[in-house]
Amino acid sequence: MNLSIAPEVAKALEANVPVVALESTVIAHGLPRPRNLTTAKALETEIRALGVVPATIALHDGVAVVGAGDVLLERLANEAGVAKVSIRDIAPVLAARSLGGTTVAATVEIAAAAGIQVLATGGIGGVHRGAERSFDESADLEAIARHPVVVVSAGAKYVLDLALTLERLETLGVPVLGYGTDEFPAFYVRSSGLRLQYRVNDALGAARIAREQLARGAGMLLCVPVAAESALGRDEVEEQVRNAIAASDRDGIRGADLTPYLLRALGEATNYRALDANIALLRANAQVAAQVALTLCA
């Protein structure tokens, strides 16, 4: 895999200046226009404000781009037919020289190849509800386990089976840390009710554990609950998720299309309060990721 590392990012990595990787499928597939582009730029601004270099990752013209510029961000946000790239898709999309937005899994792999230690996202993928029938499990989980990258997220997306997702992370040897919380966050919802074994209260505590885990050649998950003023209620979201899953079954939605379908349905059902919560947690996670990256480079 050929990497095209932006000069600013390459210079930062060489000088031990902190860098935070950002995934790009949230731009191409996760958020509606025009808020996808404004949010992508806002995340980079949040990171830069703390003295950290952002590196949005995507595939373009046969290379993995580490540090997408404004033109590429605009293409990811506005063009139709941008490929959604998980790990299985990297080679085919590179070979086709297509434009691709990278998921957490693909972004983790590319970030690790570039030497970036921290990644910020909204919520990771995981084990889907009904996985005992569909065997539907996100590649995010194994990617985090295999690559030395700290993934900062608001837990896993609420549409998933969160208890099974935690079980899989445990099996894969991924430490899951609550950032100022003892419970696993659930994306739009501050708490899933699932207890976590490990808690840290600041970037220093997270970085201490990260140094040990990254030295083992493996990654970890740092979970930041969405701010109370942006959060949705668990009962409300659960009802809407059940409705959305039933609709997806009727419509025959499967595989990579399922999570975007469910998130769009949730956005509509909550009068787009879910979208506002998503953007708020993305920005908060970017800030925490930048603080952790700063501490790791200190």
Side-chain angles (χ1 to χ4, degrees):
M1 176 173 58
N2 291 323
L3 302 182
S4 175
I5 303 178
E8 179 190 23
V9 177
K11 183 178 179 180
L13 291 170
E14 185 177 353
N16 196 38
V17 172
V19 178
V20 168
L22 296 165
E23 47 113 338
S24 54
T25 198
V26 68
I27 307 170
H29 307 101
L31 299 175
R33 301 172 184 143
R35 297 186 75 179
N36 55 349
L37 182 58
T38 57
T39 301
K41 292 183 176 181
L43 297 183
E44 294 201 347
T45 299
E46 298 279 3
I47 291 167
R48 289 187 191 282
L50 291 169
V52 178
V53 175
T56 300
I57 290 175
L59 302 189
H60 170 59
D61 200 24
V63 297
V65 177
V66 182
D70 287 343
V71 172
L72 186 53
L73 288 178
E74 289 176 8
R75 289 190 61 194
L76 288 162
N78 295 315
E79 287 191 12
V82 177
K84 183 177 180 181
V85 180
S86 188
I87 286 178
R88 68 169 186 182
D89 309 300
I90 292 175
V93 173
L94 287 174
R97 307 182 73 85
S98 299
L99 178 62
T102 52
T103 64
V104 169
T107 307
V108 163
E109 180 173 316
I110 296 166
I116 299 173
Q117 296 182 309
V118 183
L119 181 153
T121 186
I124 65 165
V127 181
H128 277 267
R129 301 185 188 203
E132 67 276 7
R133 301 185 307 275
S134 67
F135 295 94
D136 193 349
E137 177 185 316
S138 171
D140 292 357
L141 305 184
E142 289 204 17
I144 296 169
R146 291 201 308 262
H147 299 287
V149 176
V150 178
V151 176
V152 181
S153 79
K157 295 181 176 69
Y158 192 91
V159 298
L160 303 169
D161 188 319
L162 299 178
L164 286 183
T165 296
L166 275 179
E167 290 288 349
R168 281 294 289 147
L169 286 166
E170 179 183 357
T171 300
L172 292 167
V174 176
V176 180
L177 280 59
Y179 190 84
T181 182
D182 295 305
E183 295 189 2
F184 191 45
F187 203 44
Y188 311 129
V189 178
R190 281 183 60 80
S191 175
S192 63
L194 299 168
R195 298 282 294 180
L196 293 176
Q197 187 167 358
Y198 302 108
R199 169 180 174 149
V200 295
N201 292 316
D202 53 30
L204 179 60
R208 284 174 176 159
I209 297 173
R211 286 192 182 98
E212 300 296 336
Q213 181 69 358
L214 301 185
R216 299 177 60 242
M220 72 179 216
L221 184 63
L222 180 62
C223 299
V224 183
V226 61
E229 61 269 21
S230 301
L232 275 62
R234 190 192 307 176
D235 291 344
E236 174 192 9
V237 174
E238 179 62 28
E239 178 183 0
Q240 299 302 339
V241 166
R242 290 179 183 273
N243 292 339
I245 289 174
S248 71
D249 287 341
R250 290 194 302 270
D251 294 343
I253 307 298
R254 299 286 185 273
D257 295 329
L258 180 58
T259 297
Y261 176 97
L262 295 175
L263 295 181
R264 281 195 299 271
L266 270 176
E268 294 170 3
T270 60
N271 196 26
Y272 296 99
R273 287 184 296 117
L275 174 60
D276 293 336
N278 192 355
I279 292 171
L281 64 86
L282 280 164
R283 296 183 70 158
N285 294 347
Q287 293 173 9
V288 172
Q291 292 164 2
V292 173
L294 277 167
T295 308
L296 284 172
C297 286

